[in-house]
Amino acid sequence: AQVRQYITPVSSKVSGFIDEVRYNENQFVHKGDTLVVIDNREFKNQLNMAEAHMQSTAQSVSTYETTVNAKATDVTIIEANIDAANIEVWRTEQEYQRFKNLVEQDAATVQQFEGVEAKYKQAQAHLKALERQLSAAKINTTAEQTKVAPVKSQVSQQSAVVDIAKLNLSYTYVVAPYDGWVGVKNIQVG
């Protein structure tokens, strides 16, 4: 009579010290039974570090997005200020034109006209300053927006590193590939 069995060598995908051997020689095991446990402290630390780095990077994304939102709010506020400045320019221009006509008719003093003219020029200067400020704010907003995508990419990369660390941690448990008998036990704890 002949006994026909398949022999399958079982090995781990990671190296390390053996913490536990959970089988005996010539023991029947089921598929998925844990046979050997490798010291996994280093792999847990790698996973913890990868998760911490990913969380830190994800927080950076949140910070950049908050900054972008704040800059966009600044743009909106400056646009509202420009609207108000346009109204002030229009109002002071109307007053300037009135006083110009009054001075020509000798109905107002030159001093009064110069005061109105100064307010008009001041309103124009304020409007130009706000327009420059708006331009700078838009540039700053765009600059902050360009920082978000690369950091999001880093989060994806860190997520992959976390997945690899989890996979390596799972490899510290050597399991039976299928039901069968275990042969000679040639490993020990240590």
Side-chain angles (χ1 to χ4, degrees):
Q2 292 183 356
V3 176
R4 188 173 192 172
Q5 291 187 353
Y6 297 104
I7 298 174
T8 303
V10 177
S11 63
S12 75
K13 293 186 178 190
V14 295
S15 61
F17 291 106
I18 305 294
D19 261 358
E20 296 178 47
V21 178
R22 294 187 179 175
Y23 71 91
N24 296 313
E25 286 187 8
N26 302 318
Q27 176 185 342
F28 186 81
V29 293
H30 299 283
K31 179 179 181 177
D33 285 351
T34 301
L35 304 176
V36 177
V37 177
I38 297 171
D39 181 12
N40 62 11
R41 290 175 295 179
E42 179 182 346
F43 298 100
K44 284 182 179 178
N45 287 338
Q46 288 174 356
L47 176 60
N48 290 339
M49 287 173 29
E51 287 176 336
H53 195 258
M54 184 179 75
Q55 289 173 352
S56 172
T57 307
Q59 185 61 41
S60 294
V61 169
S62 176
T63 301
Y64 281 126
E65 287 176 338
T66 300
T67 302
V68 167
N69 290 340
K71 300 272 184 197
T73 301
D74 289 347
V75 167
T76 304
I77 291 169
I78 294 169
E79 287 172 340
N81 288 338
I82 286 175
D83 289 343
N86 276 323
I87 292 169
E88 183 63 16
V89 166
W90 176 83
R91 188 188 68 73
T92 57
E93 181 182 17
Q94 296 299 315
E95 192 173 358
Y96 170 77
Q97 292 299 329
R98 271 195 304 276
F99 270 86
K100 186 177 179 183
N101 292 336
L102 290 173
V103 166
E104 288 173 0
Q105 298 169 4
D106 289 328
T109 66
V110 173
Q111 185 179 11
Q112 289 174 320
F113 173 71
E114 288 173 348
V116 170
E117 182 181 33
K119 287 181 183 178
Y120 175 53
K121 288 180 179 180
Q122 183 181 11
Q124 287 177 320
H126 182 67
L127 176 61
K128 286 180 183 177
L130 286 173
E131 287 170 345
R132 285 190 298 270
Q133 191 178 13
L134 176 62
S135 178
K138 285 181 177 180
I139 289 170
N140 288 338
T141 302
T142 302
E144 290 299 320
Q145 286 172 334
T146 61
K147 294 177 184 177
V148 174
V151 178
K152 281 185 177 181
S153 175
Q154 289 176 358
V155 170
S156 296
Q157 290 171 350
Q158 289 303 316
S159 177
V161 170
V162 167
D163 290 343
I164 290 169
K166 286 179 181 178
L167 184 62
N168 286 336
L169 181 60
S170 75
Y171 289 154
T172 61
Y173 295 90
V174 180
V175 297
Y178 50 80
D179 293 350
W181 295 94
V182 178
V184 177
K185 180 176 171 183
N186 58 3
I187 60 169
Q188 60 187 1
V189 174

